[in-house]
């Protein structure tokens, strides 16, 4: 029988809020911004039966390992798109340079340079 007095204290990740007082939860609905809908669509497409690039556990792992500062300051969909970027790079779907180039093209087209 294992000696339970010698077990390690469980490690709590920065994402693990279970049992902690996190203050009140804002349960109000909000209308999704167009970019948030796109992020949701991208996530859905990456995980569909045709592509099978990203499952929920990969999304969750990427979110839970993105670093405490990002985890605590990013919004829900900012966390998702950051996780999507990590997974598609890790799985050699796209490179970081390809994503950054495309992002710069879109920003230029929309006149968002320098903002």
């Amino acid at each position: 029988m294992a000696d339970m007095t010698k077990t390690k204290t469980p490690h709590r990740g920065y994402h693990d809020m279970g049992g902690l007082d996190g203050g009140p939860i804002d349960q109000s609905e909000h209308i999704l911004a167009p970019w948030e809908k796109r992020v949701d669509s991208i996530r859905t497409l990456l995980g569909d039966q045709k592509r099978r690039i990203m499952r929920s556990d990969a999304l969750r792992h990427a979110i839970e390992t993105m670093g405490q500062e990002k985890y605590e300051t990013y919004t829900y969909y900012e966390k998702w798109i950051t996780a999507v970027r990590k997974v598609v790079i890790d799985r050699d779907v796209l490179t970081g340079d390809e994503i950054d180039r495309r992002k710069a093209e879109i920003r230029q087209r929309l006149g968002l340079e320098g903002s």
Side-chain angles (χ1 to χ4, degrees):
M1 176 178 248
D3 182 356
M4 299 304 286
T5 62
K6 294 182 179 181
T7 59
K8 293 181 178 179
T9 302
H11 174 69
R12 179 185 289 267
Y14 51 82
H15 62 279
D16 186 1
M17 298 292 293
L20 299 177
D21 182 10
I25 298 172
D26 179 3
Q27 297 183 1
S28 61
E29 295 287 330
H30 80 277
I31 297 172
L32 295 178
W35 76 269
E36 292 172 317
K37 292 178 183 178
R38 287 187 196 107
V39 170
D40 192 76
S41 297
I42 290 167
R43 162 59 191 104
T44 299
L45 289 169
L46 290 172
D48 71 8
Q49 292 298 313
K50 180 179 178 184
R51 293 167 193 82
R52 297 181 181 206
I53 295 169
M54 182 176 192
R55 295 186 332 193
S56 296
D57 59 330
L59 177 74
R60 183 176 175 165
H61 178 73
I63 289 172
E64 291 178 352
T65 58
M66 67 177 33
Q68 186 170 1
E69 183 179 338
K70 289 178 182 175
Y71 186 84
E72 292 179 354
T73 58
Y74 285 8
T75 66
Y76 185 79
Y77 282 105
E78 287 173 334
K79 290 174 188 169
W80 271 37
I81 196 62
T82 301
V84 165
R85 177 187 169 99
K86 180 181 184 332
V87 171
V88 297
I89 291 171
D90 288 351
R91 299 199 176 168
D92 295 325
V93 176
L94 294 168
T95 67
D97 287 343
E98 290 171 324
I99 294 170
D100 291 342
R101 277 196 305 272
R102 183 69 175 140
K103 193 168 118 182
E105 290 169 11
I106 293 169
R107 291 184 67 78
Q108 184 176 23
R109 185 180 68 218
L110 296 176
L112 299 173
E113 290 299 309
S115 61

